[in-house]
Every structure is written in C-alpha cells, then in structure tokens.
Amino acid sequence: EAGVAQSPRYKIIEKRQSVAFWCNPISGHATLYWYQQILGQGPKLLIQFQNNGVVDDSQLPKDRFSAERLKGVDSTLKIQPAKLEDSAVYLCASSFSGPNTGELFFGEGSRLTVL
Amino acid sequence: DAKTTQPPSMDCAEGRAANLPCNHSTISGNEYVYWYRQIHSQGPQYIIHGLKNNETNEMASLIITEDRKSSTLILPHATLRDTAVYYCIVRGLRANQAGTALIFGKGTTLSVSS
C-alpha cells in the first residue's frame, strides 16, 4: 500500500519569500492533517480536513499560512511571507474516517529552512 | 495542550524489555490512549492504542491501569532500531466521526544501547 507522499523533502528560502508544500494522502483516506514540527518539539497541528472541508484550523497562523484540499484528495500548504520562526518540518498525515477512527499515517515531511 | 505526562528520556539495554510510563490523570471516559513513535528524520509511526483493556500487537503491549489514569507501553525485546521518541496521546472521537487530531507533547526519548 502506498504511503502518504509529500514534496518537496527539503526547501531553503529567504525570509519574506513564499513556499508551498504538497501532500497526497493514502487512497480512500477522508481525513487529512498538516502538522508543524520545530526542532526538539513534538508535532503541532496546523489544520485538519474532512474531505474538502476544514474541521479544525484554530492553530493555523492565517495571516501567513493557508491550506486547501481541492476535490478532497491532494492538499497544499502555503506560507507567504515566510519568517525565520517558520523553519520546521511540515508533516502531512491522513486517516480513514469511520465509527472507530483509527491510526494516522504520516508522510516523511518537508523540511523548511528560512534564512 | 497535551493531556499526558512522560519522562523526557529513558535508557534500555538491547534485548531487554523497555517499559515506558505515561500519566493521563484527566482522561475522559470516551478518550483512547494512543502511542506513536518517531525515529530520527521520519514521520511519527503508530504503535498501539487502547480504551481500558490491555492490548498487544506485533510491536508492543499496552497496559492501562484500572482507573485509566496511567498506562505503560512495553517493548518486550528492545533493539537498536527502537531508539526513537515515543509519544503517549489521549484522543477522543468527534460526533461527526472525523476523529480528533493527535495532540503531541514532548514525548520520551528512548535510547537502546548494545
């Protein structure tokens, strides 16, 4: 079974530039999550989608971060303009939604360095 | 904020059992206990979860106390590849069946040595 795909794996930009990350979840998984993981910390939820609708985006810095999940499959996370403190690994995860909501499957992440 | 408390680090000798504790004294009746681990430079990986009964799978065993205020993850025969950060997470289910997202704390860094 193919896992969660993310790209790019690594990205280096200068502050005030923009960047976009792409995620392709496991086929059939209705729920998709974006997490931010700063070095030395646990992952922090940014946004959760159910199909193409937003379930929770309370932790998303909406002045600079945006995310969309068109057609309820792939998702894109964008940062514009980037700040130094946005340097982190951006993790995408997906899960099957049902009465016994199960495990989350994570991608390998996209590592962002802002100079 | 994370609803769990874990020791920041633990050591274990290769081949021995690793017992990772977790306190979740404010857990609600409909919340599950999940364990994930994160090996360096990889995304978190699901290990096991339970509600109130002890659980076992091919990776680990989960022991939940009767009052559900704490639990222990047991890796029966730790190997060097088990060196990772282990996260204990409590998670409820939403009425709309989407499930709540995992809220990660800082986890326990387990170091397995030969």
Side-chain angles (χ1 to χ4, degrees):
Chain A
E1 165 180 283
V4 176
Q6 291 189 245
S7 67
R9 285 295 313 277
Y10 304 93
K11 189 73 176 180
I12 300 174
I13 62 173
E14 296 193 347
K15 59 183 179 182
R16 291 186 291 274
Q17 288 186 322
S18 63
V19 63
F21 302 111
W22 173 82
C23 173
N24 180 237
I26 292 173
S27 178
H29 281 193
T31 310
L32 185 146
Y33 312 79
W34 282 102
Y35 283 83
Q36 178 194 59
Q37 186 171 25
I38 293 172
L39 186 64
Q41 299 181 17
K44 170 190 168 186
L45 177 71
L46 292 176
I47 190 167
Q48 178 185 351
F49 290 96
Q50 173 75 2
N51 297 308
N52 61 351
V54 175
V55 175
D56 184 353
D57 64 355
S58 58
Q59 299 296 307
L60 187 73
K62 298 181 184 65
D63 57 334
R64 298 182 301 106
F65 285 66
S66 65
E68 61 182 9
R69 192 182 183 200
L70 300 176
K71 301 180 182 179
V73 181
D74 293 5
S75 178
T76 303
L77 176 70
K78 296 180 181 177
I79 307 174
Q80 180 179 12
K83 293 185 175 181
L84 296 177
E85 58 260 37
D86 298 332
S87 293
V89 176
Y90 291 86
L91 294 161
C92 180
S94 69
S95 68
F96 173 76
S97 293
N100 278 320
T101 304
E103 61 187 276
L104 272 65
F105 293 83
F106 284 82
E108 293 189 321
S110 295
R111 181 178 297 276
L112 173 66
T113 302
V114 182
L115 303 176
Chain B
D1 290 342
K3 299 182 180 180
T4 63
T5 304
Q6 299 177 252
S9 63
M10 293 184 66
D11 295 319
C12 181
E14 190 176 22
R16 303 296 294 268
N19 297 287
L20 290 86
C22 178
N23 285 319
H24 32 80
S25 58
T26 61
I27 191 169
S28 300
N30 64 347
E31 288 182 317
Y32 289 74
V33 179
Y34 279 75
W35 283 83
Y36 278 72
R37 74 179 182 183
Q38 188 171 24
I39 295 170
H40 184 62
S41 295
Q42 297 182 20
Q45 174 193 23
Y46 167 82
I47 301 174
I48 198 167
H49 76 283
L51 185 62
K52 54 183 176 181
N53 297 320
N54 297 339
E55 302 289 342
T56 296
N57 62 21
E58 66 277 6
M59 290 182 67
S61 295
L62 173 61
I63 309 298
I64 303 174
T65 58
E66 193 169 342
D67 63 6
R68 303 210 322 125
K69 292 184 177 181
S70 66
S71 60
T72 301
L73 178 74
I74 301 172
L75 307 178
H77 306 287
T79 71
L80 299 178
R81 287 176 293 182
D82 291 322
T83 293
V85 179
Y86 287 77
Y87 296 100
C88 170
I89 303 163
V90 295
R91 181 190 188 207
L93 297 178
R94 292 181 187 275
N96 66 0
Q97 301 182 348
T100 59
L102 299 175
I103 307 299
F104 289 82
K106 295 184 178 180
T108 296
T109 298
L110 175 68
S111 299
V112 181
S113 56
S114 57

